[in-house]
Amino acid sequence: MLLGLLPGIEVVGSAKDGEEAVALVAELAPEAVLMDLRMPRCDGVEATRRIRAQYPGTQVVVLTTYADDDSLFPALRAGARGYLTKDADGEAIVRAIQDVVAGRAGLSADVQRMLLERVATAPEPPAPKLPDGLTGREGEVLALIADGLSNPEIARRLHISTATVKTHINNLFAKAGLHDRAQAVRYAYRNGLAQPPRTGTGAG
């Protein structure tokens, strides 16, 4: 009833659970579905996943009582592009539907704040382990050697002195058992620290 009174919104169907929601999307091809999460037979996360996989032209906005991590993140991973809690007013619902139909995210301010807090408090991913005990800086220097940079160019790129570059090179050569830059380049390619240049093919 509320949705039918909102400007710019035409209600084309109503489903009592996720199974019926998927079936109605197949039949009616709506631009957007306003999805509850807690439903019998097929919950909102599974229904969202199936709708987005089978009918990608239909966007999903979740409208739920729950704004906890266990509800929010599964819904977003399933393909929902909007997420509102049930205290959202009509204006917020219209805006979220319009946003997802236009290809934008339709998230309430509270949900946006939750996502930002999760990103801010997420642990840093562990640094990749380098071979032969190389430090991160030595790995950077080695990658730049493989890219063909000279010592002064490496110094400028990393904002360090040329003497410091030489020290890093001496250290990484000693650790990896390298004797010259050609060996260093091959070592960098072999250990995935740099990508060998692609050789193009010409057509005659």
Side-chain angles (χ1 to χ4, degrees), residues 52-76:
R52 295 296 297 138
Q54 298 173 38
Y55 312 103
T58 297
Q59 301 296 329
V60 176
V61 176
V62 169
L63 180 64
T64 181
T65 306
Y66 311 94
D68 54 275
D69 289 2
D70 291 340
S71 302
L72 171 62
F73 291 104
L76 295 181

Side-chain angles (χ1 to χ4, degrees), residues 9-31:
I9 300 294
E10 179 188 359
V11 179
V12 296
S14 177
K16 62 180 181 293
D17 58 39
E19 289 283 356
E20 190 175 339
V22 176
L24 282 177
V25 168
E27 176 187 346
L28 301 170
E31 290 183 287

Side-chain angles (χ1 to χ4, degrees), residues 137 141 155 160-171:
R137 180 62 94 184
V141 170
I160 56 179
S161 70
T162 304
T164 302
V165 172
K166 290 179 180 177
T167 299
H168 287 313
I169 291 174
N170 289 336
N171 289 340

